Amino acid sequence: MQDNSKFYITTPIYYPSNKFTLGNCYTTVACDAIARFNRMLGRDVFYLTGTDEHGEKIAKIAKENNKTEIEYLDEMIADAKELWKILNISYDDFIRTTEKRHEVVVNMVMKKLYEKGEIYKSTYNDWYCTPCESFWTESQLIDGKCPDCGREVHEEKEEAYFFRLSNYTDKILDLYKNNEDFLLPKSRVHEMVNNFLKDGLKDLCVSRTSVKWGIPVEFDKSHTVYVWVDALTNYISALGYGSNDDKFNKYWPADVHVVGKEIVRFHAIIWPALLMALDLPLPKQILGHGWLLFGGDKLSKSKKNTSKDVLDPRILVSRYSSDAVRLYLLKEVPFGSDGIYTQELFLNSYNANLSNTIGNLVSRTISMIEKYNEGIIPSKKEIIDLDSKYIEDIKSNIKNTFDFMKIYDISSALNEVLNIFNRSNKYIDETTPWILAKENNKGRLDSVLYNLSEVILKGATLLLPFLTEQPKKIFEAFGVLEVKDFKNILDFDILESGIKVKHINALYQRLDIKKENEELWDLNV
Ligand code: MSP
């Protein structure tokens, strides 16, 4: 199971145009689970996230708040970092596009493209959607509105530089054809081909003269760099492209860029075309995940959701723990599809998965060990019955977890881990340890308690990338020092003899759903 290769994973860099929502938390938590999983495989992981700080939208919001752009941004970024902290996000770097290290690389990229003849000057005369920071032609608009978000667009006519994206239609099609796993899930490839590539790509406007809040184009200072070209470059600027060759050569190309489905086209068409033009290797994979939906709509800050159910992730974390929020996000957005959030589903998921499935198994097992064996995990020498059917089931859950994580199917992987706990609760019902105790069947009872202890530790180990707090308490309760990797995950009969368990109170207290639901409404202002 161990692997010592490098692994570079990225989230999109978010617009700090508002406080981050549960929706933004989804990608960051998903990448965190993937990053942690790969670290436990032994890989040298570099996990990048950050913020996309230029463009019309940010300038407008700062002004509305009577602040300079940087004053406004600094506050928002402090808040974002605090949110990642309470969610235990283990990023290795946080890049801001207003940092010097980034601006230098954006200019290097623009210059190289210009010198190679990949960009040229002309006039832009089409439509622009400010919330999406996207250009559209008249024929792409739906009922005169932005085809992505359905909001108003406005006409733009200005001198601009264009990237020769039209030269890359066939190259991008070939990329998908020759590399079937480049864009996952596969349904996204059809979307790209049908919606954008089929009729041929158009050259892309890559500079603005009317937008002042941006990186000035060095060879023509009346222009600023189009915010998406600026933003995509973060994936290489954070590695020190052009200045830190060791780091860049070590981590580039990215192993996976994880993005929401609405921005797949920027990552699976524009970004590879830019990289081809720069003669740089392409990312190995783009993962376009679905949305967390609320009331049938995307839970996003730019489409205003007014319903009461939209909750600040900070409130959820402080009331129910980061494990609860992480579990919900990771479990409820199925691979490639959308997931739904409601307060009630959230509370029910807490009880079902955390209190019942995980919490119950751990406390039941510990109290049986206390009651029937003076708090000592029976020694493996006393095992008379390995219960091979049970162990085989668990081994297959473990293998499936690894297989799903390999293709980034996080929710299925997490379900396999939860099945380890479910299967073990069933094992208790099958083996009825209380009857074994009554019948003085010590050999069999010891075997059951031993098997349960060992399997709980496997389960807790596999939970670590997903939930970051309570699994540690499980190790503590079973007298095991910190677990850092997946070595031995498939080896059974390896627990030391004589370990004394530590009594723990319920890992996750069962919630009174009705009461919680009402209290939450009141908190949600
Ligand atoms: N700044 C650009 C990305 C540039 S990347 C080079 C951007 N930013 S954003 O703030 O709008 O964030 C978009 C990302 O947030 C989505 O792609 C997705 O990863 C995440 N999400 C925002 N709302 C979401 C949901 N409701 N559900 C899941 N993820 C969503 O686009």
Side-chain angles (χ1 to χ4, degrees):
M1 294 287 179
Q2 297 303 107
D3 172 352
N4 54 16
S5 57
K6 70 91 190 173
F7 183 74
Y8 179 31
I9 179 169
T10 66
T11 68
I13 48 171
Y14 303 101
Y15 293 125
S17 46
N18 220 322
K19 281 193 159 196
F20 288 179
T21 64
L22 262 183
N24 299 114
C25 294
Y26 174 71
T27 323
T28 310
V29 168
C31 287
D32 189 62
I34 301 172
R36 285 174 184 270
F37 197 91
N38 278 277
R39 283 192 201 106
M40 288 184 70
L41 283 173
R43 299 181 83 176
D44 176 353
V45 172
F46 193 77
Y47 171 18
L48 177 70
T49 191
T51 38
D52 188 354
E53 306 189 3
H54 290 123
E56 234 171 276
K57 181 160 59 177
I58 300 291
K60 197 165 153 247
I61 290 171
K63 204 164 171 204
E64 282 164 13
N65 282 277
N66 292 321
K67 297 202 163 110
T68 65
E69 285 89 352
I70 278 297
E71 273 167 2
Y72 167 79
L73 287 165
D74 284 349
E75 279 173 26
M76 296 304 288
I77 277 52
D79 184 74
K81 287 188 173 172
E82 187 54 35
L83 178 61
W84 297 157
K85 192 166 153 205
I86 60 173
L87 279 165
N88 292 324
I89 304 300
S90 62
Y91 59 78
D92 295 292
D93 197 357
F94 187 110
I95 185 137
R96 299 181 54 175
T97 53
T98 47
E99 286 176 74
K100 194 87 208 140
R101 61 169 174 155
H102 173 74
E103 297 189 356
V104 170
V105 178
V106 170
N107 263 306
M108 211 186 293
V109 164
M110 288 295 281
K111 191 162 165 248
K112 198 164 165 191
L113 293 173
Y114 188 56
E115 283 170 358
K116 287 186 74 188
E118 293 280 356
I119 55 183
Y120 63 92
K121 202 187 231 178
S122 181
T123 306
Y124 180 80
N125 188 4
D126 267 315
W127 300 86
Y128 196 73
C129 172
T130 307
C132 293
E133 302 282 11
S134 290
F135 297 104
W136 300 105
T137 59
E138 180 108 35
S139 64
Q140 286 173 313
L141 302 179
I142 299 178
D143 298 332
K145 305 257 168 66
C146 169
D148 266 0
C149 72
R151 279 165 297 191
E152 297 293 331
V153 288
H154 59 274
E155 203 172 3
E156 297 268 353
K157 183 168 187 199
E158 61 187 47
E159 179 189 273
Y161 284 91
F162 286 81
F163 168 54
R164 297 186 193 281
L165 186 62
S166 57
N167 287 347
Y168 289 87
T169 309
D170 290 339
K171 292 184 182 124
I172 301 291
L173 285 168
D174 283 348
L175 167 67
Y176 298 166
K177 213 186 291 159
N178 301 331
N179 188 346
E180 282 205 341
D181 291 330
F182 176 73
L183 177 56
L184 288 179
K186 295 209 166 101
S187 55
R188 305 264 179 255
V189 175
H190 305 297
E191 284 167 27
M192 290 303 108
V193 174
N194 290 336
N195 300 346
F196 303 105
L197 291 152
K198 204 175 57 193
D199 300 329
L201 294 166
K202 275 184 50 153
D203 286 352
L204 174 76
C205 177
V206 293
S207 80
R208 310 288 308 271
T209 48
S210 60
V211 178
K212 296 296 166 216
W213 181 243
I215 301 177
V217 176
E218 226 163 51
F219 51 83
D220 192 342
K221 291 229 164 59
S222 58
H223 292 244
T224 55
V225 178
Y226 169 45
V227 67
W228 267 99
V229 173
D230 170 352
L232 289 162
T233 307
N234 92 89
Y235 300 129
I236 57 174
S237 68
L239 296 181
Y241 172 61
S243 64
N244 187 343
D245 289 350
D246 286 350
K247 189 168 182 183
F248 183 75
N249 293 333
K250 179 171 177 193
Y251 291 112
W252 191 257
D255 291 78
V256 62
H257 291 312
V258 183
V259 301
K261 62 183 177 183
E262 82 285 13
I263 57 170
V264 164
R265 72 189 171 99
F266 294 97
H267 289 81
I269 295 177
I270 298 175
W271 183 226
L274 285 169
L275 289 166
M276 286 178 198
L278 292 165
D279 298 315
L280 285 174
L282 307 186
K284 292 187 196 155
Q285 246 164 3
I286 312 291
L287 178 64
H289 64 70
W291 290 335
L292 189 63
L293 296 178
F294 168 75
D297 208 349
K298 185 179 165 224
L299 184 62
S300 96
K301 50 192 184 265
S302 42
K303 282 188 194 174
K304 283 208 174 71
N305 280 301
T306 48
S307 166
K308 289 173 102 185
D309 237 353
V310 181
L311 264 177
D312 185 341
R314 297 151 195 88
I315 297 178
L316 295 181
V317 171
S318 73
R319 276 180 83 93
Y320 307 108
S321 77
S322 78
D323 279 357
V325 176
R326 291 175 65 107
L327 177 111
Y328 193 84
L329 295 174
L330 296 172
K331 192 170 165 346
E332 300 306 328
V333 182
F335 187 56
S337 324
D338 296 335
I340 291 178
Y341 170 81
T342 72
Q343 208 161 276
E344 203 159 336
L345 285 174
F346 175 83
L347 297 170
N348 279 315
S349 151
Y350 183 102
N351 273 357
N353 300 300
L354 296 176
S355 306
N356 291 358
T357 302
I358 302 175
N360 257 355
L361 176 71
V362 173
S363 49
R364 274 168 107 188
T365 305
I366 289 191
S367 39
M368 289 193 296
I369 295 173
E370 286 171 332
K371 193 161 165 199
Y372 305 133
N373 211 43
E374 292 163 6
I376 310 282
I377 302 173
S379 148
K380 62 188 163 199
K381 287 189 217 98
E382 281 144 48
I383 298 182
I384 54 161
D385 189 349
L386 274 174
D387 278 332
S388 54
K389 176 75 182 81
Y390 169 55
I391 302 297
E392 282 317 307
D393 286 350
I394 300 299
K395 280 188 180 165
S396 107
N397 291 139
I398 297 175
K399 285 191 191 126
N400 292 342
T401 307
F402 283 90
D403 289 346
F404 283 128
M405 283 308 275
K406 212 181 250 166
I407 54 165
Y408 310 120
D409 184 348
I410 305 171
S411 67
S412 300
L414 178 53
N415 277 326
E416 289 293 331
V417 182
L418 291 171
N419 280 340
I420 294 177
F421 291 84
N422 280 322
R423 177 68 184 89
S424 301
N425 275 316
K426 194 166 151 234
Y427 177 66
I428 298 182
D429 299 339
E430 284 165 5
T431 52
T432 56
W434 49 94
I435 297 181
L436 298 176
K438 222 190 240 159
E439 290 169 350
N440 275 330
N441 191 347
K442 174 115 177 74
R444 177 91 185 107
L445 181 60
D446 280 351
S447 307
V448 171
L449 297 181
Y450 179 90
N451 285 340
L452 282 170
S453 307
E454 191 154 57
V455 170
I456 286 175
L457 289 170
K458 304 281 184 214
T461 304
L462 285 170
L463 271 181
L464 281 173
F466 305 96
L467 311 183
T468 54
E469 289 171 349
Q470 298 299 47
K472 292 189 184 129
K473 293 220 173 113
I474 304 180
F475 295 123
E476 226 177 276
F478 283 84
V480 170
L481 296 175
E482 206 183 344
V483 175
K484 285 203 166 121
D485 55 43
F486 292 130
K487 276 186 212 139
N488 308 328
I489 192 82
L490 280 170
D491 300 333
F492 282 72
D493 313 324
I494 55 169
L495 275 188
E496 299 290 328
S497 301
I499 300 176
K500 191 161 171 45
V501 291
K502 213 176 104 191
H503 189 80
I504 47 173
N505 296 324
L507 283 175
Y508 305 95
Q509 286 288 350
R510 226 187 131 67
L511 305 173
D512 175 340
I513 306 265
K514 194 165 169 284
K515 180 173 154 272
E516 289 297 329
N517 218 351
E518 276 160 17
E519 286 181 20
L520 273 177
W521 290 134
D522 296 339
L523 283 175
N524 193 30
V525 276

